[in-house]
Amino acid sequence: IIGQHPDTGVRYTYTEPRRDSINGTIYADTASIGSVAFENMDIVGSNGFGVCNVSQSNDSYANFKLTLKDVTYTGPHAAYNPWGIVRLEDFRFRSEINGADQLGNVAMARVVETAGQIDIDHNADYSTATVFVFTKRNASYPNSLTMEGSTRAQIVTQTSLLYCSSGTLINWTVKIGADVKMETEEAIIDTGTVPLGDLIVEDNAHLNMQQINSITPRHMLHISGVLSVGEGSTFIAERHGGAPALIWLQNSKSLQFNNPKHVRLYSRQGELFLFSQNAQEVTVDILADTINLWQSNPTPDYSIDNMPTGIWNKDDTAEPVDLQLVYSADGTLKNLVSSNLIPGVD
């Protein structure tokens, strides 16, 4: 469905009928269609099942793709394809009730893909109405969020980025060159008992996460797989409200910082890392030019007068600091190995 006239270039607006039900939206109920796309148009939504409802709950819809490309959407819920794929490309979203029963998610899907410029201003009427909701109930087709290299995202939400209502993990990948900034009121991942699988920030990608408040006491990031930050990348996680640990590594065996350009971890209250009791030990690999540690810091003030408790620099060789720390399940440091670590400040 293309909303721009091919001859005149006039861009049209599609206004949904004010019926907040399955029958009040475009309904795709045949898997063999394979995909539905909306392109080059503005949409005024009023339906809690999205502009197109792909609600069939069986594996034949696992690769059904719902695409919104160069779309500006204002309404309660843009995309509903819980067993399939939602692709957002050059997509703009603003929450508006528009006669619907309640404000919901941006997208509900098994897989979410982003590309191009993404601008999301999200509000909701209930806590699990996060930006993206993953509901797939069959681990044969895993959940994932992939932010492709062309993604330039600005996301603001009064809830969280992700929620998973099933028992399968979400793997989140920020691809090479992507630039993602987000501001949430609650934890980045409102998972309850279901954590992320892997969080991979690839080389030269940028991920900046700011949690402004914390009404519900959840860890900002809850990860069961690998947290990996690639070479030349930026990874920022700051929590300005009180809550438990910044990052809970549940059953995770590996935390890797592979010579990133910049990593900043800040928590107003609570630990930076919590290791699950189910993990026998966790290895933290850090490859960097400089490592700074603040034991106490009321605000993320990085002025020259706010010196860290500890500074470690690379030695005179060209290689960066190579630091490996091994923690037991209770958080006790068991071993520290480095080939070229020299202290700067003790």
Side-chain angles (χ1 to χ4, degrees):
I1 301 174
I2 299 176
Q4 189 169 12
H5 195 284
D7 297 326
T8 65
V10 173
R11 182 183 176 98
Y12 292 98
T13 297
Y14 169 60
T15 301
E16 285 188 306
R18 294 181 179 274
R19 295 180 63 189
D20 197 10
S21 67
I22 291 177
N23 296 326
T25 183
I26 297 171
Y27 187 47
D29 64 350
T30 304
S32 60
I33 295 173
S35 65
V36 173
F38 298 83
E39 298 184 11
N40 310 114
M41 62 192 307
D42 301 329
I43 299 174
V44 179
S46 60
N47 197 294
F49 290 91
V51 65
C52 180
N53 183 332
V54 192
S55 63
Q56 297 298 316
S57 56
N58 61 72
D59 288 342
S60 63
Y61 286 82
N63 293 310
F64 193 106
K65 180 173 284 191
L66 175 59
T67 299
L68 287 83
K69 181 178 181 181
D70 188 18
V71 167
T72 297
Y73 176 93
T74 55
H77 188 137
Y80 189 86
N81 187 15
W83 282 65
I85 301 167
V86 168
R87 180 175 177 84
L88 306 175
E89 183 172 353
D90 294 321
F91 174 73
R92 298 156 296 279
F93 176 96
R94 187 177 74 250
S95 293
E96 295 283 353
I97 193 70
N98 291 346
D101 291 339
Q102 57 188 0
L103 294 174
N105 322 105
V106 175
M108 183 176 291
R110 178 181 69 84
V111 170
V112 174
E113 304 169 347
T114 68
Q117 187 68 42
I118 305 294
D119 293 299
I120 293 175
D121 185 359
H122 172 255
N123 195 359
D125 289 329
Y126 52 101
S127 62
T128 57
T130 57
V131 175
F132 302 127
V133 170
F134 298 85
T135 60
K136 186 68 176 68
R137 297 169 180 82
N138 187 338
S140 298
Y141 297 94
N143 297 124
S144 65
L145 169 60
T146 300
M147 295 176 159
E148 296 179 0
S150 65
T151 299
R152 301 292 181 267
Q154 295 274 355
I155 301 172
V156 178
T157 175
Q158 293 189 4
T159 58
S160 300
L161 178 71
L162 305 173
Y163 177 78
C164 186
S165 65
S166 69
T168 56
L169 304 179
I170 310 163
N171 290 320
W172 179 11
T173 303
V174 183
K175 303 290 284 185
I176 293 174
D179 190 349
V180 180
K181 299 179 179 68
M182 67 185 67
E183 181 181 298
T184 67
E185 284 288 324
E186 293 290 344
I188 299 297
I189 306 161
D190 183 3
T191 53
T193 59
V194 183
L196 272 178
D198 298 335
L199 172 51
I200 308 296
V201 182
E202 294 187 348
D203 295 351
N204 300 310
H206 303 277
L207 178 59
N208 184 336
M209 300 172 289
Q210 303 285 327
Q211 182 183 344
I212 304 306
N213 202 352
S214 183
I215 300 172
T216 305
R218 289 192 176 97
H219 311 283
M220 182 179 180
L221 286 170
H222 181 187
I223 299 171
S224 182
V226 173
L227 171 57
S228 177
V229 180
E231 185 172 2
S233 61
T234 298
F235 180 78
I236 298 173
E238 293 187 356
R239 185 182 59 211
H240 302 271
L246 186 75
I247 301 174
W248 179 18
L249 298 167
Q250 180 186 7
N251 302 326
S252 180
K253 302 295 192 297
S254 179
L255 173 60
Q256 304 163 1
F257 296 103
N258 185 26
N259 201 20
K261 179 181 180 181
H262 181 70
V263 172
R264 187 162 75 235
L265 305 176
Y266 170 78
S267 180
R268 183 179 177 184
Q269 297 178 10
E271 305 88 353
L272 287 182
F273 300 108
L274 174 66
F275 303 120
S276 171
Q277 295 295 324
N278 295 328
Q280 296 304 308
E281 63 180 34
V282 177
T283 300
V284 180
D285 291 301
I286 301 175
L287 199 66
D289 289 342
T290 301
I291 301 171
N292 295 329
L293 171 66
W294 284 264
Q295 295 281 46
S296 177
N297 196 20
T299 61
D301 175 15
Y302 302 100
S303 66
I304 194 170
D305 296 327
N306 186 20
M307 292 296 292
T309 307
I311 299 176
W312 294 269
N313 301 306
K314 69 177 184 178
D315 60 18
D316 292 334
T317 67
E319 297 298 321
V321 172
D322 188 355
L323 181 64
Q324 183 181 84
L325 304 95
V326 179
Y327 288 90
S328 60
D330 63 2
T332 303
L333 180 62
K334 295 177 62 178
N335 194 22
L336 185 153
V337 178
S338 176
S339 59
N340 59 346
L341 181 67
I342 57 174
V345 176
D346 294 323

